[in-house]
Amino acid sequence: MFTMIVGEVANFVAYVFAPAVLVTPLGALSIIVSAVLAHFLLDEKLQKMGVLGCVLCIVGSTVIVLHAPEESTPSSVEEIWDLAIQPAFLLYTASAIAVVLVLMLHCAPRCGQTNIMVYIGICSIIGSLTVMSIKAIGIAIKLTIEGTNQAGYFQTWIFAMVAITCIITQLNYLNMALDTFSAAIVSPIYYAMFTTLTIFASAIMFKDWSGQSASKMVSEICGFITVLSGTTVLHSTREPDPPPVTDLYSPLSPKILWHIQGNGELWKQKDEDGSSLDFVTIFKQDYFS
């Protein structure tokens, strides 16, 4: 739990100093670390295809880092607010909320238990808005530490409320997806949708790709596809969880007690119904089978 909290804090700080186009795809590196640690600490066998998946993630991450765009840090929360209320991002936000409401109110009650895209779609769409809010809060905290207090702006608290609401919703539906479907299927699909939508939202709000050449943009896309392929390969090689072991010697229900009287009378009694007695008479023999 402690290491998870430290990792999330570090991830939060990363969004302050780097664009989401760079930070979000690099989340696949945690999958590699988990697979390697599980191989040595939990005796989970890392197969050859799993090693190939790790290599693909590393190669794709390297390509993304080498061609990542440079980001200019806003000087105040008001400047971030101006980016958030630009028509293009307002259109994305309105579309995202509309799709999420349709998935929550119409699709989830009807096919949420059978269609994996319902819960993951809600998590991914809400997650893209979460990252934008978290990035705004992180920049506000950074500016406050540097001496420019941002707590007095109402925009800071709006971003905070949006972030809390989105995080709670995202975790709720992610847990529902993991409870309903296999984690080996949920993880790569969620990673792909969440990362894609986050990059798209960040490109609209913060204009991450503004001023970049077409070759760098294509290289970043290729790097992301490589990471996505590696993640899918790595998860596809995971061994399924063993079924729960049941006690082979546990008594059946209802319990039946057999008694042999000295006169050769055999009778049984159901343990759950004391009034029901069945008598069977047998001949006394030296042995019987």
Side-chain angles (χ1 to χ4, degrees):
M1 180 66 71
F2 175 75
T3 56
M4 184 187 70
I5 294 174
V6 172
E8 292 302 322
V9 171
N11 193 43
F12 174 80
V13 175
Y15 279 112
V16 178
F17 296 97
V21 176
L22 172 62
V23 177
T24 307
L26 293 182
L29 295 177
S30 64
I31 302 175
I32 300 176
V33 176
S34 299
V36 174
L37 291 179
H39 177 76
F40 291 103
L41 301 180
L42 303 179
D43 294 329
E44 293 184 5
K45 186 178 180 181
L46 185 60
Q47 302 176 3
K48 294 181 179 180
M49 292 300 295
V51 175
L52 175 61
C54 293
V55 173
L56 288 175
C57 290
I58 294 174
V59 172
S61 300
T62 303
V63 173
I64 293 175
V65 171
L66 292 177
H67 298 86
E70 296 182 0
E71 184 183 45
S72 58
T73 303
S75 58
S76 67
V77 176
E78 290 181 327
E79 185 175 343
I80 304 176
W81 180 260
D82 292 337
L83 296 175
I85 61 175
Q86 58 183 326
F89 190 74
L90 287 178
L91 178 61
Y92 174 81
T93 304
S95 302
I97 294 175
V99 173
V100 166
L101 290 177
V102 171
L103 292 175
M104 285 183 178
L105 302 178
H106 179 75
C107 298
R110 291 171 173 80
C111 55
Q113 298 295 319
T114 57
N115 192 334
I116 192 175
M117 300 304 295
V118 176
Y119 292 150
I120 296 183
I122 296 174
C123 298
S124 303
I125 297 172
I126 293 296
S128 65
L129 299 178
T130 301
V131 171
M132 300 303 103
S133 303
I134 289 295
K135 187 173 180 66
I137 297 172
I139 294 175
I141 295 176
K142 175 190 174 186
L143 294 174
T144 301
I145 294 176
E146 291 177 350
T148 307
N149 187 11
Q150 303 295 313
Y153 296 98
F154 74 93
Q155 292 93 336
T156 303
W157 301 105
I158 292 179
F159 283 128
M161 290 186 292
V162 171
I164 293 174
T165 303
C166 291
I167 289 173
I168 294 175
T169 305
Q170 183 180 358
L171 291 179
N172 179 44
Y173 281 93
L174 181 58
N175 286 331
M176 293 173 65
L178 292 173
D179 288 339
T180 307
F181 305 97
S182 171
I185 301 176
V186 172
S187 297
I189 297 177
Y190 173 65
Y191 171 80
M193 291 187 63
F194 169 71
T195 305
T196 302
L197 291 173
T198 300
I199 292 175
F200 185 64
S202 181
I204 295 175
M205 180 173 175
F206 292 98
K207 298 179 174 60
D208 293 329
W209 284 341
S210 178
Q212 273 199 309
S213 61
S215 60
K216 284 192 173 183
M217 295 174 61
V218 172
S219 298
E220 290 176 31
I221 294 175
C222 292
F224 171 62
I225 294 175
T226 304
V227 172
L228 179 59
S229 302
T231 304
T232 304
V233 171
L234 186 57
H235 278 284
S236 65
T237 59
R238 287 183 54 183
E239 296 180 356
D241 296 332
V245 179
T246 57
D247 188 2
L248 299 178
Y249 300 98
S250 58
L252 299 177
S253 179
K255 299 178 183 177
I256 299 178
L257 302 179
W258 292 85
H259 301 274
I260 301 179
Q261 303 293 344
N263 59 0
E265 189 177 74
L266 175 67
W267 61 277
K268 63 179 180 179
Q269 177 183 4
K270 291 184 178 180
D271 198 29
E272 296 180 356
D273 187 5
S275 60
S276 176
L277 297 176
D278 296 332
F279 296 91
V280 180
T281 301
I282 62 174
F283 295 101
K284 295 175 65 176
Q285 302 287 343
D286 293 335
Y287 63 93
F288 62 91
S289 58

